[in-house]
Amino acid sequence: MRIEDTDDTANTANTGDTAAAEPPVVVRDGVLHVRVAAPGSGSVLDGHAMDDGAAALESFDSSVGAILLVGGADNFCGGGDVGAFHAAPERGAFVHRLAERFHRFVRALASAPVPVVAGVPGWAAGAGMSLVCHTDIAIGGRSTKLRPAYPALGFTPDGGLTWALPRIVGVRRARDILLTDAVLGSDEANRLGLLTRLVGDEVIVSEAERLARTLAAGPTGTVRRTKELLLTSAGASLDEQLDAETAAITASADSPDGIEGVNAFVEKRRPSFGR
């Protein structure tokens, strides 16, 4: 769990960084953008973005149809300010406070009712790797590398990495990755399911933005019901999940998007959702 703990002035001190002029959490075109890496910081995790992002997710705006995690220009998120850990007079108490802030955001993100998308250029290490594991769609390129990074600091993982990683790659492979602090290149990360799509490095960010906007402009009610089914499936029996699917598809059939989708299919035209 590497997270920056600075004041607002420090977070925006680099006036040459255009991202610094924008709040860490904004809504544009139906997409909730959360800038996880603090501008001008070497892509450390932005503590204020975690606070503001958690607040936005906890009081979710019904007009939001997708969530986009935005990293730094060269690296998605390389973790946090190790110098701040070093300078803390009581490191355990300091890290405890940061972990609680980070985990508030992770809890809200993991239960988000809409798709979570991330463009992952460069490094996603420590908390950055944890966040990638909680996305629905993670887009990387040849430059993308993932690493737990916690063992190098003598720390144990946080951000739900020990929970999410085994569910993605399997228990034995997760043990190998976490215990050996393995560096995963983009091809391996894609094969294991940590990255869901690979594109050219130059379009990682733009492709993630495009996809988030597309999801937000689609049949958002249907997408929300699908996301809910996915979130509850891990703790449900097959019978329970079949019942939930019956209820969800029935609601979808009577919804404006369901009606429009069927009508458009029969009329051989492109559906116009959300209008």
Side-chain angles (χ1 to χ4, degrees):
M1 179 286 307
R2 301 173 59 197
I3 183 170
E4 183 185 43
D5 188 34
T6 60
D7 59 27
D8 290 324
T9 302
N11 259 356
T12 59
N14 184 358
T15 55
D17 192 329
T18 54
E22 185 175 87
V25 178
V26 296
V27 176
R28 289 196 300 268
D29 300 324
V31 177
L32 176 67
H33 294 242
V34 182
R35 189 196 66 226
V36 300
S41 67
S43 300
V44 299
L45 192 68
D46 189 334
H48 297 292
M50 298 299 95
D51 296 337
D52 294 351
L57 291 168
E58 289 164 357
S59 57
F60 201 76
D61 186 339
S62 61
S63 68
V64 169
I67 299 163
L68 179 66
L69 302 186
V70 181
D74 299 318
N75 295 300
F76 175 70
C77 180
D81 187 353
V82 179
F85 297 166
H86 181 266
E90 297 181 7
R91 291 185 189 175
F94 181 75
V95 169
H96 179 83
R97 183 171 73 253
L98 299 182
E100 286 190 328
R101 292 171 66 191
F102 182 35
H103 288 176
R104 178 188 171 203
F105 176 75
V106 169
R107 286 187 175 96
L109 186 71
S111 60
V114 299
V116 179
V117 180
V120 189
W123 282 95
M129 182 171 175
S130 296
L131 289 174
V132 170
C133 288
H134 291 294
T135 63
D136 297 303
I137 302 170
I139 301 174
R142 294 299 172 192
S143 70
T144 305
K145 294 181 177 65
L146 284 75
R147 179 186 177 186
Y150 297 94
L153 297 180
F155 281 17
T156 52
D158 72 347
L161 189 57
T162 58
W163 183 91
L165 187 63
R167 286 166 167 76
I168 298 171
V169 306
V171 173
R172 288 290 298 279
R173 193 57 195 269
R175 290 175 179 174
D176 186 312
I177 292 168
L178 293 177
L179 295 174
T180 68
D181 197 13
V183 175
L184 304 177
S186 58
D187 286 336
E188 186 173 13
N190 180 236
R191 180 175 60 80
L192 291 172
L194 291 163
L195 297 174
T196 58
R197 302 185 184 194
L198 293 180
V199 298
D201 284 340
E202 69 281 1
V203 296
I204 293 172
V205 173
S206 61
E207 179 62 14
E209 292 176 347
R210 183 201 65 78
L211 181 57
R213 288 196 303 270
T214 299
L215 288 166
T220 54
T222 298
V223 171
R224 286 184 181 225
R225 281 186 285 273
T226 302
K227 182 75 183 281
E228 182 179 3
L229 288 168
L230 289 167
L231 288 173
T232 58
S233 65
S237 67
L238 175 59
D239 281 345
E240 290 169 335
Q241 194 67 9
L242 290 172
D243 289 342
E245 289 182 352
T246 297
I249 198 170
T250 300
S252 296
D254 284 334
S255 72
D257 284 338
I259 292 169
E260 168 62 12
V262 171
N263 289 349
F265 183 87
V266 171
E267 295 165 11
K268 295 182 170 54
R269 59 176 175 80
R270 184 183 297 275
S272 179
F273 294 120
R275 298 182 183 176

